[in-house]
Amino acid sequence: MSHAKAQKADEPLKYLAGFGNEFQSEALPDALPKGQNTPQKCPYGLYAEQLSGSAFTAPRHSNVRTWFYRVRPAVLHEPFNHAEVGHLTNNWSAQPANPNQLRWHPFQLPSDDHRVDFIEGLASICGAGDPCSRHGIGMYIYCCNVSMENMCFYNADGDFLIVPQKGTLVITTEFGVMTVRPGEICVIQQGMRFQVAVSESSRGYVLEVYDGHFQLPDLGPIGANGLANPRDFLTPTAKFQDVIVPSGFVVISKFQGQFFSAKQFHNPFDVVAWHGNYVPYKYDLDNFSVINSVSYDHVDPSIFTVLTCQSQKPGVAIADFVIFPPRWSVQEHTFRPPYYHRNCMSEFMGLIKGRYEAKPEGFQPGGATLHSIMTPHGPDAQCFEAASNAKLQAEKIAVGTMAFMFESSLSLRVTEWAQSGSGNLDTDYYKAWGPLESNFDPNWTPDKE
């Protein structure tokens, strides 16, 4: 049996706009029950199934769930068995701690004769916490060159925020299909089944949070508008496949930091209609409304926060997703690049494209840096010298560049693969600050300015 919702090859995908909304979508007319969630018999003979992203009794503002109306329920599969997949681990204590400034050259793409899909291409860089206690984060790289076939994945441990750096991802979910290009991000929340297709060698970054879900940061005195506006977040619309797979369809689960696989004999993307507020979504980073100083000083990077996952401490994040997009720099009598810093937060940075202003050399697209809690960092010598002597005028900076940061209040442990197995660690990174010299002048006076 095979009944798929037809879509022309050149027909653009449709999305629902908004963040945190109550959405509804149906691929066939009247597939959603009227006035209730679980009628005795659902339209079209479908099964009703709820996906809960919060406890039933969570406060209404944080209570998230979606109702699926599907051809077959998700429970229809054989038992799960342990599976070994790629270089992904959540055993953060396996490697000794390393407080050094760390930088990675661009992570290698798979060779043409080595077929690697999205799940096989996942590798752990660093993280903290424990998925069993639902507290912590993981930071990963993915490098793949083939699509997932007759296979899907879901994460029982937390939410994935995916940042493509090279290659467009076509992500099929139970909610529908979305394309995510470099310069866009997407969030696949806990428990949502998805499949990734690629048409070229692809690379990107993943941030996982165990504690809760991503939300928009509070704007405070900024007001009602700015940063990432809710209307720019897009959720896919219902599109189903009613397909029997005689050879078997594999469901991969990440559960308690380990992988498991189970076989079933139908395609799981058979949701004909759905409604709810627990959804996957994507966002175009070019839509970010930048806030910046128009007088003096380099303001703190929290003004560039796109999404945040908050801890139980007010204003302290388990993880923030921050970007450094093109913007105008107009500050007077100011050292404009990022300042030298020792932080009570961990800072993991990646580069999607272009050249990052604080380190124009060495930090490359597809690479990464990690500056751990209280580890000093800041502009390299070349950047310091240029910015200290530059003529200050209105300037558009970061043109053609998109850098980002995963920032966390947790102290991150780096994996063995990231430190040695990947072959990408730049052991000379510390030398970027070597040429910095003392400019101290004990005879300085204000008239020398």
Side-chain angles (χ1 to χ4, degrees):
M1 180 185 297
S2 178
H3 303 290
K5 176 65 174 176
Q7 180 168 329
K8 297 178 181 178
D10 59 350
E11 181 182 346
L13 295 173
K14 296 180 180 179
Y15 298 93
L16 303 169
F19 189 92
N21 295 25
E22 284 284 344
F23 295 111
Q24 64 179 32
S25 181
E26 52 187 12
L28 295 177
D30 301 316
L32 286 171
K34 299 295 190 288
Q36 64 179 120
N37 295 321
T38 56
Q40 186 176 24
K41 290 187 177 182
C42 293
Y44 295 96
L46 300 171
Y47 288 89
E49 177 181 281
Q50 183 175 203
L51 177 64
S52 294
S54 63
F56 292 141
T57 53
R60 184 173 286 267
H61 73 272
S62 60
N63 201 306
V64 289
R65 82 287 174 263
T66 284
W67 279 97
F68 292 132
Y69 300 93
R70 59 191 318 151
V71 177
R72 297 171 185 84
V75 72
L76 191 61
H77 62 79
E78 295 181 352
F80 281 97
N81 295 294
H82 190 267
E84 294 293 337
V85 178
H87 297 283
L88 193 146
T89 179
N90 289 162
N91 183 9
W92 308 118
S93 61
Q95 185 77 357
N98 185 348
N100 288 301
Q101 302 98 342
L102 299 177
R103 180 167 69 188
W104 289 269
H105 299 299
F107 292 90
Q108 289 100 334
L109 295 164
S111 60
D112 292 340
D113 59 352
H114 187 201
R115 293 170 58 85
V116 179
D117 66 32
F118 177 83
I119 300 304
E120 294 169 327
L122 282 170
S124 300
I125 304 298
C126 55
D130 174 26
C132 294
S133 61
R134 298 294 311 281
H135 174 62
I137 60 172
M139 298 178 186
Y140 315 106
I141 195 80
Y142 71 84
C143 298
C144 59
N145 59 359
V146 297
S147 301
M148 297 169 63
E149 295 181 356
N150 288 334
M151 177 193 304
C152 72
F153 173 78
Y154 75 90
N155 185 359
D157 294 335
D159 293 5
F160 268 5
L161 188 158
I162 302 173
V163 186
Q165 184 271 320
K166 181 183 186 302
T168 295
L169 306 182
V170 179
I171 303 179
T172 300
T173 75
E174 295 167 283
F175 300 76
V177 181
M178 57 183 175
T179 58
V180 189
R181 302 173 177 85
E184 297 180 317
I185 62 165
C186 73
V187 173
I188 310 290
Q189 304 198 70
Q190 182 189 18
M192 297 176 179
R193 298 184 176 192
F194 68 98
Q195 181 184 69
V196 176
V198 297
S199 59
E200 62 177 302
S201 292
S202 300
R203 178 174 56 204
Y205 311 83
V206 179
L207 170 62
E208 179 185 21
V209 292
Y210 308 151
D211 291 67
H213 303 298
F214 289 103
Q215 60 193 58
L216 295 175
D218 291 330
L219 295 181
I222 292 175
N225 307 286
L227 307 187
N229 291 310
R231 65 177 297 188
D232 293 322
F233 288 82
L234 302 177
T235 289
T237 54
K239 182 176 184 292
F240 73 97
Q241 303 175 51
D242 177 14
V243 179
I244 295 295
V245 186
S247 60
F249 193 105
V250 177
V251 178
I252 304 291
S253 169
K254 180 178 176 291
F255 177 76
Q256 296 184 2
Q258 301 179 44
F259 282 106
F260 298 84
S261 66
K263 182 181 285 188
Q264 60 188 45
F265 296 94
H266 66 278
N267 188 306
F269 303 116
D270 61 358
V271 175
V272 179
W274 59 267
H275 74 85
N277 62 347
Y278 188 52
V279 298
Y281 53 86
K282 73 169 192 171
Y283 175 74
D284 186 338
L285 300 178
D286 286 339
N287 289 327
F288 189 79
S289 178
V290 180
I291 305 295
N292 205 355
S293 171
V294 295
S295 55
Y296 63 88
D297 279 357
H298 180 100
V299 291
D300 296 332
S302 49
I303 59 168
F304 303 127
T305 301
V306 180
L307 292 167
T308 183
C309 178
Q310 289 290 295
S311 71
Q312 297 300 312
K313 298 178 182 179
V316 179
I318 293 296
D320 284 332
F321 174 63
V322 179
I323 63 172
F324 303 96
R327 59 201 182 275
W328 282 96
S329 182
V330 299
Q331 303 98 312
E332 298 178 308
H333 44 81
T334 293
F335 182 79
R336 290 179 177 178
Y339 41 72
Y340 293 99
H341 195 201
R342 290 180 294 164
N343 196 355
C344 64
M345 308 281 277
S346 301
E347 301 180 19
F348 176 93
M349 286 194 63
L351 185 60
I352 299 171
K353 62 180 180 179
R355 302 175 71 197
Y356 180 57
E357 58 180 309
K359 294 179 181 65
E361 305 296 335
F363 183 33
Q364 302 172 54
T369 64
L370 175 64
H371 300 136
S372 295
I373 288 176
M374 292 303 169
T375 295
H377 55 279
D380 62 21
Q382 175 186 351
C383 175
F384 177 81
E385 185 65 24
S388 298
N389 296 289
K391 180 180 180 181
L392 296 182
Q393 56 190 3
E395 179 184 11
K396 188 92 179 268
I397 63 172
V399 176
T401 294
M402 185 65 75
F404 71 88
M405 179 167 65
F406 299 154
E407 185 175 58
S408 175
S409 59
L410 304 181
S411 189
L412 306 179
R413 189 70 65 90
V414 181
T415 65
E416 180 181 5
W417 180 86
Q419 294 199 64
S420 56
S422 70
N424 292 99
L425 189 66
D426 181 357
T427 56
D428 291 332
Y429 182 34
Y430 72 97
K431 295 179 180 178
W433 296 281
L436 288 169
E437 298 178 346
S438 171
N439 297 309
F440 177 62
D441 179 2
N443 299 313
W444 177 88
T445 57
D447 62 298
K448 291 185 178 182
E449 285 292 309

